[in-house]
Amino acid sequence: QGFEIHLGNSSKHSNVKSAFRLEMDSASFDDNKTSFEDGAVSEDSIVWGTYLHGLFDSSVFRKQFLGNFTSEDIATTSETLAVDIAERDKNYNALAEHFKQSLDLTSIRL
């Protein structure tokens, strides 16, 4: 179970795979469409994007979805995430240091 929230129209390149094909009751749409594609998947299938919310609230869906990835995929993703977090933290610290050097913090009241 999930629900969709977004405003406006999104588009993707024709060579990009959709993440999901949604089937709906025709009464849900003004134009009586009963199915449509949602989201996008990267070429390597590691990155998924969607307007659907609440999908991972269901442990059944979560286990089935994550079961599509091998332990090697998960390990690689975890390693990449750790590197990304370290790089992000390094950049935030550099930015904070730049602000400390550039601003007269004693003049700023909080």
Side-chain angles (χ1 to χ4, degrees):
Q1 292 183 9
F3 57 96
E4 179 190 22
I5 299 178
H6 79 277
L7 178 63
N9 295 313
S10 297
S11 61
K12 61 182 177 56
H13 290 280
S14 60
N15 62 337
V16 174
K17 297 185 297 187
S18 294
F20 300 98
R21 178 162 213 55
L22 305 176
E23 302 289 331
M24 305 289 248
D25 178 355
S26 62
S28 301
F29 293 99
D30 292 335
D31 59 2
N32 290 323
K33 274 181 25 179
T34 56
S35 68
F36 63 96
E37 294 181 343
D38 177 80
V41 180
S42 65
E43 257 186 70
D44 59 7
S45 296
I46 296 294
V47 179
W48 291 58
T50 180
Y51 285 115
L52 295 175
H53 298 263
L55 290 177
F56 291 100
D57 293 349
S58 163
S59 60
V60 172
F61 175 84
R62 188 173 53 249
K63 288 175 185 175
Q64 288 178 342
F65 182 84
L66 294 175
N68 290 318
F69 299 100
T70 66
S71 58
E72 184 178 310
D73 292 335
I74 293 169
T76 301
T77 302
S78 297
E79 291 167 13
T80 302
L81 181 60
V83 169
D84 289 346
I85 290 170
E87 183 68 19
R88 180 203 63 198
D89 289 348
K90 183 179 111 186
N91 290 334
Y92 280 150
N93 288 333
L95 182 62
E97 189 58 36
H98 174 75
F99 280 121
K100 279 187 205 175
Q101 300 299 320
S102 302
L103 297 173
D104 178 8
L105 295 175
T106 59
S107 299
I108 299 173
R109 292 186 184 184
L110 300 175

